[in-house]
Structures are given as structure tokens and as C-alpha cells.
Amino acid sequence: MRLRGVRSSRNVEDRRGRGGGGAAVGGLGIGGVLIVLAIGYFTGIDVTPLLGGGGAPQQQQTRELTQSEVQAGEFSGQVLATTEQVWTEIFPDAFGEPYEPPVLVLFSGVTQSPCGGASGATGPFYCPVDEKAYLDTEFFAFMRSELGAGGDFAQAYVIAHEVAHHVQNELGILPQVNAARQQTSEREANALTVRLELQADCLSGVWAQSVSGLLEPGDIDEALNAAQRIGDDYLARRAGRVPNPHSYTHGTSEQRQTWFSKGYQSGDPAACDTFGAESL
């Protein structure tokens, strides 16, 4: 993705450098930690207790960011700026309202949010209470090394997906779905969540179409590969489990790729009505 000359967004809150290190957690070792992080992110379960190890909490200390952290922060700010430009242009025409962008919180290890404690174990997420997206930039390394989803555009897709949840929140879709999930069975709640996530994938595709002038050969393939590697069925098999569609919360690899592609090919948010679709 060609980001040279692209400004960095001012809506970035960088909480990194406030402690934390690369040591193994809870005696798990780095491999075990990465597996636990994958379980937490892709099942929606906060696995922080599994990482605690029962020890006393460590006092956070200020530290300098590494060069890779600095680069990840600059990259994230630039990608966020492209989402701001895209949705500021598209949102009023598509929905008749001005677009108010979210804040992207960069953190390392753990932080706090109105939606609960945030940690690397929860993965990137959007909190509708404060309208902020939370990202531990170490997740990029995890995507590359553990999921085989490398590439800068795969990383940009992750940010665009969380911003898409903010778009859903601005439209009132997110609170409606959250309310509906509280009044139904777990199976039906999961099905609603899948539609919510696939719509965010589609809206990410709309963003990708709008920044096509910044794309390099292979960028869309990186995003599609990432979508494939974070499908519920793929992750279940990778974990040695038999895929169970009723437990899905993000959609299959094929569904995630299909809806991202639908948004990218159309460039139209109206094409992203996963809730009105008979078949996903």
C-alpha cells in the first residue's frame, strides 16, 4: 500500500510505552501465549486470566518505543486517515448524515476501556461506549507469524474493519444488534453477530475500493488471504476442532472473502446489507 505522502490522523491516542515487555506470561512461553491470544480474539472470550499466572501485578514503567512500534504507529495513523477521508465523502451521500470519525487507541499489553479491560488477548476491537477502536500493534506480528496473514494491506484491512464497526455504530446498527442479542438464544445471537461481522468486512471492501489509487499489486490478495485465515471454520480446524456453524461469530473463510469482495467490487455501502440477505 502506497502511503508515502499520506498524512497521519490526529485521532490517534497512543498509550504504548507505558510498561510491558516481551517476557513469557504465566509460564506459557511465547508459543503458548500466541495460541491463547488466538483463542481470545477469534472467540470473543477475554482470556486475560489465562495469561496472568497468578502472580502479583507488575508496576508499569515508561519505556521508549522500539523502531518497529514507531513504524506500526505511523502506519496505523496513516491508514486511519484514509478511512476518515473515505467515509467523510461516502457517508453523507449514502446516509444523509455527516460522518464523525472514531479515535484509534494504540496500546501495548493491556489498557482500559469503558467496554472492559483491554489486552492483547482480546485482539483489535471497537468500543461503542467511547467510540474508540483499540489495537495492540503487536497483533500485526501475530498475524504474520502465526496466521500466515502478512502484508501491509492485511494490516490495513484490520484497521478498516474496526472503523467499519464505528460506521455501523453511527448508523444505529450496532446498538440494535447488541440489544437483539440480549433477547435471544445463544445460537441466534451468534447468527446476528456473524451478519454484523460480515457487514463490517463488506464495508472494509468499500473502503478498499475508494483507496484503490494507493494500492499496489497483490494488496487485495493480502486482504483476501487475511479474511480466509480468520474465518471461523479455518480457525476451528487449525485448533484441531470440528467446525460447528452454530458457534460461529465472524463467518466462514468463504463468507468473509465473499463479503469483502462484494464491497470492493461495488464500492457501494448499499451492497453490504447482510441483514437483508437470505444467504450469506
Side-chain angles (χ1 to χ4, degrees), residues 27-28 36 41 54 106 120 145 167 202 214 237 261 265 276:
L28 290 174
V36 171
Y41 175 62
L106 302 179
S145 63
V167 172
C202 183
L214 301 177
R237 294 189 184 94
S261 297
Q265 292 167 4

Side-chain angles (χ1 to χ4, degrees), residues 7 82 100 133 138 141 148 151 160 164 166 213 240 270 279:
R7 68 173 181 84
T82 68
E100 296 295 334
E138 284 299 311
H166 176 70
S279 174

Side-chain angles (χ1 to χ4, degrees), residues 141-189:
F142 172 74
M143 288 175 61
R144 180 179 62 254
S145 63
E146 297 300 311
L147 295 180
D152 59 353
F153 200 71
Q155 299 169 5
Y157 158 64
V158 169
I159 296 173
H161 180 92
E162 298 309 322
V163 171
H165 283 312
H166 176 70
V167 172
Q168 292 171 316
N169 193 47
E170 288 285 285
L171 295 173
I173 296 173
L174 194 56
Q176 290 175 10
V177 172
N178 286 336
R181 287 190 296 197
Q182 301 298 319
Q183 302 173 10
T184 189
S185 67
E186 180 179 355
R187 176 174 173 176
E188 293 173 332

Side-chain angles (χ1 to χ4, degrees), residues 1-9 74-75 77-82 85 214:
M1 188 176 187
R2 294 186 290 266
L3 291 175
R4 179 174 296 182
V6 174
R7 68 173 181 84
S8 183
S9 171
E74 293 175 349
F75 171 81
Q78 288 175 303
V79 172
L80 183 64
T82 68
Q85 181 176 356
L214 301 177

